[in-house]
Amino acid sequence: MDNEVPQGNVPQQGFETLAIHAGQEPDPTTGAVVPPIYQVSTYKQDGIGGLRGGYEYSRSANPTRTALEECFAAIEGGTRGLAFASGLAAEDAILRTLLRPGDHVVIPNDAYGGTYRLFARVAEPWGVSYDPVPLGDLSAVRAAMRPDTKIVWVETPTNPLLGVSDIAALAAIAHEGGALLVVDNTFASPYLQQPLALGADIVVHSTTKYVGGHSDVVGGALAVQDAELGDRLAFHQNAMGAVAGPFDSWLTLRGIKTLGVRMDRHCDNAEKIVEMLVAHRSVKQVLYPGLPDHPGHDVAVKQMKRFGGMISFRAWSAEDAVRICERTTLFTLGESLGGVESLIEHPGRMTHASAAGSPLEVPADLVRLSVGIEDVADLIADLEHALS
Ligand code: PLP
């Protein structure tokens, strides 16, 4: 797919133009080309209800957050964007808006552990049931649909097994069953994949990752095309109050400006590292959607521009996996992903520890890499040393 983002009736602009300009007109009072950090909680009213620019209280709206929300909607090809304090806060707003006790959700059998925890430990005790399903198997998804299914929740590529599922096909199944399709686009980023254009109803992100891109801010965001759905989600954003603060919004907006160039470099580096790992005797299996033998490769080719900067691989044992994670020096041992610096982690004991003993438990011999944008020769040398 190309990187043109549909924009209603106005001429289409390219992804990077939108990333740099959407929602970011020069400041009307000073001409500042970057939206200022409106570090403010309240706004002077010219008489009761006389709001200048529509702002009354920063939980409801703040100009720096508005700039981020408009830009985010534009780069996801949506009409409405909403920014939250974290990815999980954004996910929670979806749950509270669309679900009621008695409803049912189809979730991936491989997903971020915190997402699974939200369904298993927050939504289920509230009366929402869920079924983890391998989303690459469309007949399994059809079989899991029930009359009370309200959401089919998709993560593609998945964290941490890099599974790929067909967004357009899943949208058709969800809509046939009267459910909405939610896509967590965190691993791909809107530069590589545009779920709304493929039929998704809501796109959710941990903007902490590629969108922010510099490991200096925690945030989340939603994008939708349907105005009424956008209003319902915005109601919960304000009613529950887990909004992105002005400085966090500003950092995220700054990250978005370079998202396209960063993603291309993440992909370049990841492709070269995959080549090295595939040939390495200490590696049992490499999980990367760009590999022709990856089970989701054909779908990834169809719906992604490139294959991303995340790589997982299996070592020959759990002990080997832990040892590799602890021996790198340039790849920093740490949770999170999507920043300019390379990270390594052991999902079983770190990011996905909350899925232990569940259907989403990950293999103990798994290592996950978030490939940064450093010089790739240095990254390869660091991994070769850790694998030796
Ligand atoms: N979705 C995915 C795919 C993630 O990897 C994460 C966090 O790692 C989240 C959602 C949750 O985001 P946050 O940590 O910003 O709350």
Side-chain angles (χ1 to χ4, degrees), residues 1-3 15-16 75-76 185 188-194 205 259-264 267 304-306:
M1 60 185 288
D2 64 31
N3 63 356
F15 181 91
E16 276 148 318
I75 61 171
E76 275 292 3
N185 202 23
S189 89
Y191 180 68
L192 299 182
Q193 181 170 272
Q194 299 261 295
H205 274 267
L259 181 60
V261 286
R262 281 188 287 109
M263 288 314 298
D264 274 328
C267 294
M304 295 178 78
K305 187 174 152 82
R306 296 184 68 182

Side-chain angles (χ1 to χ4, degrees), residues 86-88 91 112 115 155 159 184 186 206 208-209 218-219 337:
S86 70
L88 281 173
E91 294 187 16
Y112 170 56
T115 300
E155 198 181 295
N159 181 3
D184 184 331
T186 300
S206 170
T208 315
K209 311 298 172 358
V218 170
L337 60 110

Side-chain angles (χ1 to χ4, degrees), residues 24 211-212 214 216 249-259 262:
Q24 301 166 78
V211 171
H214 296 77
D216 52 11
S249 297
W250 185 86
L251 281 172
T252 307
L253 200 50
R254 188 172 67 157
I256 288 176
K257 289 180 196 291
T258 56
L259 181 60
R262 281 188 287 109

Side-chain angles (χ1 to χ4, degrees), residues 17 41 55 59 117 119 135 137 197 276 290 303 325 333 354 372 377:
T17 305
S41 61
Y55 294 98
R59 172 166 37 73
R117 183 178 55 202
F119 283 103
L135 298 185
D137 178 353
M276 182 278 280
Q303 69 188 17
C325 289
L333 179 63
S354 61

Side-chain angles (χ1 to χ4, degrees), residues 110 158-162 284-288 311-325 344-352 360-369:
D110 164 27
T158 57
N159 181 3
L161 294 173
L162 279 308
K284 190 167 73 178
Q285 188 190 7
V286 180
L287 310 176
Y288 187 67
I311 306 168
S312 290
F313 66 90
R314 298 184 73 171
W316 290 102
S317 70
E319 296 71 36
D320 286 351
V322 169
R323 194 180 52 90
I324 294 163
C325 289
I344 190 166
E345 68 126 0
H346 184 263
R349 284 175 49 187
M350 295 171 67
T351 47
H352 290 66
L360 279 80
E361 181 167 333
V362 295
D365 56 14
L366 193 74
V367 175
R368 191 189 76 181
L369 303 177

